Amino acid sequence: MRKLIAGNWKMFGKLADVAGFSAAVTQASSQAELLICPPFVLLDRFHKALNGGAAALGGQDCHASPQGAHTGDVSAGMLKEAGATFVILGHSERREHHGETNADVRAKTVAAMAAGLTPIVCVGETGAERDAGEAEEVVRSQLMHSLPDGFAGVVAYEPVWAIGTGRTPTEADVRAMHGAIRAALVAQHGPAGAGVRILYGGSVKPGNAAALLALPEVGGALVGGASLQAADFLAIAACARPD
Ligand code: PGA
């Protein structure tokens, strides 16, 4: 299976960045599947610039309802209409700064799937939870309560303490956690759980991507800061060998 290299632009990027970034991605030849998740307002411009080609598009969040009086929110169907085929859900920044619970993430995941989007559901422990030896238990619980029955999507393991910090877990820790996530997915979802792609996220850079992407059960990467420059994003993608 090809690896999925997803760029999470968070609240960065301008309309003026879209053409150059899209051209760079279009000119590159990559063995990986590429995905760009820009702020909502850039989706339509990206969709036109990429012209259905080199990279897929995703949102960074959606509401659980198809429409309604929800000031400031966006629905999964609206993302789809703007050209998205994926949506990131339950990112730790949403869980922490917007109080999103596992139940919220699950409801959004159901909405995304109903709208025909592929959800990328994020899980990951804090530094304190890792230090207390609770990392796997925390992640298992997030998976249990954030993923609906019949889940058809992607899981991203993002240790909170590794996001934007330049710190990454050891290869042994990533290997152990991705193995634990796979076991939990199979226990919860049966054979379908065996096919779920598990991304690693948290300070993925061109310099560490090859080692991380070569680990068992690492089906790709969710990249924040290093996805903002096309050269870095593509350098990471170039490290992704198909399984
Ligand atoms: P980072 O962010 O690559 O900047 O650490 C990853 C993420 O939050 O998805």
Side-chain angles (χ1 to χ4, degrees):
M1 199 198 261
R2 287 201 303 161
K3 308 262 187 203
L4 175 64
I5 306 298
N8 173 10
W9 277 26
K10 308 192 179 186
M11 201 171 71
F12 295 101
K14 292 186 154 67
L15 284 168
D17 300 330
V18 171
F21 198 96
S22 299
V25 166
T26 301
Q27 279 153 24
S29 71
S30 172
Q31 290 190 298
E33 207 180 316
L34 302 179
L35 168 65
I36 305 165
C37 302
F40 301 137
V41 292
L42 303 188
L43 276 172
D44 183 56
R45 180 78 65 101
F46 254 120
H47 187 50
K48 290 179 177 124
L50 288 164
N51 199 17
L57 290 170
Q60 298 174 13
D61 179 40
C62 71
H63 197 276
S65 300
Q67 59 185 26
H70 302 295
T71 303
D73 282 317
V74 63
S75 73
M78 291 168 179
L79 294 176
K80 184 106 193 280
E81 197 184 8
T85 50
F86 287 79
V87 59
I88 298 170
L89 295 172
H91 189 281
S92 66
E93 288 153 16
R94 302 282 326 166
R95 291 177 185 264
E96 191 182 336
H97 304 308
H98 295 265
E100 289 189 11
T101 64
N102 288 323
D104 294 328
V105 176
R106 192 209 316 236
K108 291 175 178 212
T109 304
V110 169
M113 285 163 41
L117 296 180
T118 302
I120 301 177
V121 176
C122 303
V123 294
E125 81 286 356
T126 64
E129 287 162 344
R130 175 156 288 274
D131 292 346
E134 295 164 359
E136 287 189 16
E137 196 184 315
V138 165
V139 167
R140 260 196 297 272
S141 169
Q142 288 174 330
L143 290 169
M144 175 71 72
H145 299 291
S146 300
L147 303 184
D149 290 345
F151 176 68
V154 176
V155 166
Y157 168 57
E158 298 206 299
V160 178
W161 52 271
I163 294 175
T165 59
R167 295 167 56 215
T168 54
T170 64
E171 289 179 21
D173 286 342
V174 174
R175 185 189 290 258
M177 183 60 88
H178 280 240
I181 291 172
R182 175 65 67 213
L185 288 171
V186 170
Q188 195 183 346
H189 301 280
V196 171
R197 212 152 23 175
I198 308 170
L199 311 184
Y200 169 78
S203 295
V204 176
K205 311 276 179 226
N208 61 19
L212 288 163
L213 288 165
L215 294 170
E217 301 292 7
V218 175
L222 182 53
V223 186
S227 72
L228 292 167
Q229 301 298 329
D232 287 346
F233 182 59
L234 293 169
I236 291 168
C239 298
R241 306 259 167 274
D243 288 328

